[in-house]
């Protein structure tokens, strides 16, 4: 093995042929660092490539490669028929330019305060320690986790493979900014039949999930500082989305009939948007009553406000026909219906959709005209095939039955292990269940005690923005097999006991 | 075939057993429409299910299914031991409730003005007719289109299939909000080696493309109304992103050395962000000079501003080593480096990444803590495998050679067909080429004349935000095979001739 540890006496450079970094890279980095540090002064003449190659004991092409790169980046200046020099007008950086091998972020920065954060981002940083760690593997009973154990992964893999194998070049290209046409058609059929949404495929716009849909609609609807009704308690993502879009979230109480529309009218009659989950409110699980639906629609029509209908899981009605979407009652074209495949397929698939009112189709098209495709075109095509082939409808049916079974099993387990302390409410839709605390216990403390023992439940208090009018626990049972439920509720019983003793 | 055209005399309902709509759905919709229209008055008593089944000649279970759904949605009220009635407190909708079969959006809405748009969205609507139609199939010489004909689609399909077939349940779950760990590692290695970016995998955050990355960074950096330097002429997406984030875009002229940093210092010294493409500016194709790089970094460190480095295509340096990213010179941790796989893989894959400075890693983590995965987890895993297996590096090498060949072929073709009118500039990076107009011609008119003839070129004038200091044409040659170039330049010659005559 030939080792060249040649030293360019004139430049004090040392190369190492045993390093995994190519020699020309070493030479480039070495010269660059010495120029930046001022060790090679502006205007200094550089030895010829031939001379350097000899001094360093490397091929001349290696030297030329490094010098060309330094010239291209402006560190060296070469004039035709003249020698190569260090660029004469270089503002110097700090003396201690790190070596290219330095990799630890903590050591490589000069003492610096870094760029300044926006006010909203500063708040983010200080509260980050308490934020839920969504990256961690889900445990019983984390809300929002679907029954991944029942997802037909092999069938999905086959569909994806087939779509990739047969894909036309058009699918590799950016595609339609509104979404893949066959998927829009399949979704229009599905939501018409199963959710009572009235739409044609042109009204369907593919999104990368619910948050992106909220964001898109709020940006079209809100001027800075405009008010938005959000449910209290409610889905934390709604609050975040309104803040991010520059709006002012106005928490409106939710009771047994859903969002209290009259409270909304009293608190913010001129709000531009109402963000609601009428079919199955989160976290309370209530349904917006018909008279409130009518009142909400009338308010929106009268004030030309938008209703953003978040229909995140009402497809999973355990028995009977799913409730009709609010969109199906909307005669004035005020409702934007938002759906997601995060629950009905799987969370790792970032695909959802919105259904725009007919009068706003042009606006959504215009907003997307200059944008890239909203989501992976090939995954959109795979999902379209999955829907068209009937696999999706079959999977939904299986999930409905499974959620009914798991919901009932959880009710039984809670009654068996936590009766007297917890009063669970029956649940006929979705994959969450709510329970009140009979004893005067802090739900936050119960949550913490359970977490310490490896069981994840959500505290109702955490979902309130205004006054905490209720306390209780929210259980996700979607991802928990019936046979694993019981262990969770037994641990929870111990957590309740511990919380009571404290 | 049994047909049941039974009429519920008491309710004037008619069902059609030959319809594809199930009978219980027909009954549900019929009753619902009559309740909403007031034909069935609030409080009205509904015949028993047995009686309705007889009148309509359908199974009693069909009637029960419809009535249960109407009760669940609040249209009917059933009291134990009593009859079922229309809900007593229903606010009525308009008299003309559309039938569920009505599908055309234009006919189904009442005359309505629809919800009110935000000011920014109103501007969008009025200008939408002139917006580029990104959905249409790309033609020669649309800028930004990579060489899809060279993409190894079969290899990608195999990688995707393998990843799906072997995927753990964790990949179907939401995954890490920062991105799939193996992909972050593969990207950190790649950009360190090929772009001179200095980072560890923890600094890499996966995005759904460049626009999402801009959006995320701008939201962390900007308070409403804060100024942002953007290049003039420049990438239109930068301007849009700043407006969408509530910032004030300040156009800074670009000359032969790239962004004029001193003009930025004069116009908006307190800007919070500079959004630049230092390695290969779009559309001018220039490189930010080393002295300006230093000046930009010094300004950012001094004022604690952010530099958003858009490195969209400089991997495709046709010859020699790609220029080092600005990020590699950043000692103060002010640069967020943004990369994309839209060009290096294909536009339909919505995957990109950003590299945060070490001091801001916590902030990005916190901002994403409560968010879902930024992009499809399975596609992230597939891309990670594609990089790890070396397919990506091989593809890049082939693309570099292809772009060199196509760029040279376009230069030759333009010299042959359009000499005297067009002065193309040599291009050593990427997949775009710029040409000046020698004659006093409007580049907009040339673009329109070419478009009429089926050839797509971009007019330099369209990229200016302030005064149009230059006119010319921008050609994308990435997606055009060398043998197809010549037809395009011949048509262009005729378009130039026509534009001259007008």
């Amino acid at each position: 093995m030939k080792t060249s540890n040649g030293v360019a006496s004139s430049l004090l450079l040392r190369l190492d042929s045993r390093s995994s970094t190519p020699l020309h890279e070493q030479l480039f980095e070495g010269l660059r660092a010495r120029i930046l540090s001022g060790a090679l002064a502006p205007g200094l003449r550089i030895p010829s490539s031939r001379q350097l190659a000899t001094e360093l004991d490397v091929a001349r092409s290696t030297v030329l490669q490094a010098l060309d790169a330094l010239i291209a980046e402006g560190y060296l200046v070469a004039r035709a028929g003249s020698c190569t020099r260090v660029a004469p007008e270089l503002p110097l950086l700090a003396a201690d330019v790190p070596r290219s091998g330095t990799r630890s972020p903590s050591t490589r920065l000069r003492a610096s305060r870094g760029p300044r954060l926006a006010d909203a981002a500063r708040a983010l940083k200080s509260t980050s320690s308490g934020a839920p760690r969504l990256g961690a593997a889900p445990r019983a009973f984390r809300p929002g986790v679907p029954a991944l154990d029942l997802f037909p992964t092999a069938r999905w893999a086959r569909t994806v493979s087939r779509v990739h194998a047969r894909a036309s070049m058009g699918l590799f290209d950016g595609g339609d900014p509104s979404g893949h046409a066959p998927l829009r058609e399949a979704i229009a059929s599905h939501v018409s039949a199963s959710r009572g949404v009235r739409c044609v495929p042109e009204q369907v716009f593919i999104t990368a999930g619910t948050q992106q849909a909220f964001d898109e609609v709020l940006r079209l609807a809100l001027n800075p500082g405009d008010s938005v009704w959000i449910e209290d308690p409610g889905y934390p993502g709604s609050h975040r989305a309104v803040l991010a879009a520059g709006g002012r979230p106005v928490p409106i109480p939710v009771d047994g009939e859903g969002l209290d529309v009259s409270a909304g009218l009293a608190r913010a009659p001129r709000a531009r948007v109402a963000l609601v989950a009428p079919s199955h409110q989160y976290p309370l699980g209530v349904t917006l009553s018909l008279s409130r639906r009518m009142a909400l629609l009338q308010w929106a029509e009268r004030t030309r406000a938008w209703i953003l209908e978040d229909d995140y899981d009402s497809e999973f009605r355990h028995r009977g026909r799913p409730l009709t979407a609010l969109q199906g009652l909307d005669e004035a074209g005020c409702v934007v219906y938002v759906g997601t495949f995060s629950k009905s397929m799987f969370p790792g698939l970032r695909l959802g959709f919105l259904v725009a009112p007919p009068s706003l189709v042009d606006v959504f098209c215009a907003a997307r005209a200059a944008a890239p495709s909203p989501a992976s075109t090939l995954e959109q095509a795979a999902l379209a095939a999955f829907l068209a082939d009937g696999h999706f409808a079959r999977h939904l049916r299986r999930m409905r039955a499974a959620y009914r079974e798991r919901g009932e099993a959880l009710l039984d387990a809670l009654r068996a292990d936590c009766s007297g302390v917890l009063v669970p409410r029956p649940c006929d839709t979705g994959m969450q269940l709510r329970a009140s605390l009979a004893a005067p216990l802090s739900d936050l403390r119960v949550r913490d005690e359970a977490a310490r023992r490896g069981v994840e439940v959500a505290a109702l208090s955490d979902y309130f923005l205004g006054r905490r009018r209720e306390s209780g626990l929210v259980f996700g049972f979607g991802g928990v097999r019936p046979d694993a439920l019981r262990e969770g509720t037994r641990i929870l019983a111990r957590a309740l006991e511990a919380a009571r003793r404290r």
Side-chain angles (χ1 to χ4, degrees), chain A residues 410-412 414-415 418-427 433-437 473 475:
Chain A
L410 178 58
L411 269 181
D412 291 346
L414 287 175
R415 284 183 190 128
C418 309
S419 67
V421 196
L422 272 183
V423 184
R425 312 196 167 215
C427 131
L433 182 148
R434 172 167 63 108
S436 310
L437 285 162
L473 300 177
F475 296 82

Side-chain angles (χ1 to χ4, degrees), chain A residues 120 124 127 130-132 134 210-212 214-215 218-219 222 228 230-231 234-249 275 350 462-463 465:
Chain A
L124 198 68
T127 61
L134 274 192
T210 297
Q211 284 299 126
Q212 192 236 298
F214 285 1
D215 205 55
L218 291 171
R219 283 185 173 186
L222 297 184
V228 178
I230 58 171
E231 296 171 328
Y235 171 54
S238 305
H239 186 238
R240 278 198 304 273
V242 174
L243 289 178
R248 188 172 71 87
L275 212 168
R350 302 308 311 146
D462 267 338
Y463 294 98
L465 290 161

Side-chain angles (χ1 to χ4, degrees), chain A residues 142-205:
Chain A
R142 184 186 297 180
V145 178
L148 288 179
D149 56 312
L150 296 178
F151 185 74
T153 52
R155 184 164 300 282
W156 174 245
R158 279 197 299 276
T159 305
V160 169
S161 296
R162 199 184 67 225
V163 164
H164 275 75
R166 299 184 190 164
S168 69
M169 212 26 92
L171 279 178
F172 287 90
D173 194 6
D176 188 333
S178 303
H180 186 55
L183 180 58
R184 299 168 78 191
E185 276 166 37
I187 289 171
S189 302
H190 171 67
V191 294
S192 300
S194 84
R195 304 291 306 111
V197 170
R198 294 183 298 182
C199 66
V200 290
E202 290 70 32
Q203 290 171 257
V204 177
F205 292 81

Side-chain angles (χ1 to χ4, degrees), chain A residues 1 15-26 100-101 103:
Chain A
M1 195 178 81
L15 304 184
D16 177 6
S17 69
R18 284 159 308 184
S19 158
S20 66
T21 308
L23 290 169
H24 67 89
E25 279 289 329
Q26 293 183 42
S100 64
R103 279 295 163 81

Side-chain angles (χ1 to χ4, degrees), chain A residues 417-418 421 453 487-499:
Chain A
D417 292 328
C418 309
V421 196
R453 291 166 173 80
E487 200 197 327
T489 54
R490 287 205 185 106
I491 295 174
L492 184 70
R494 290 199 288 276
L496 283 163
E497 191 51 45

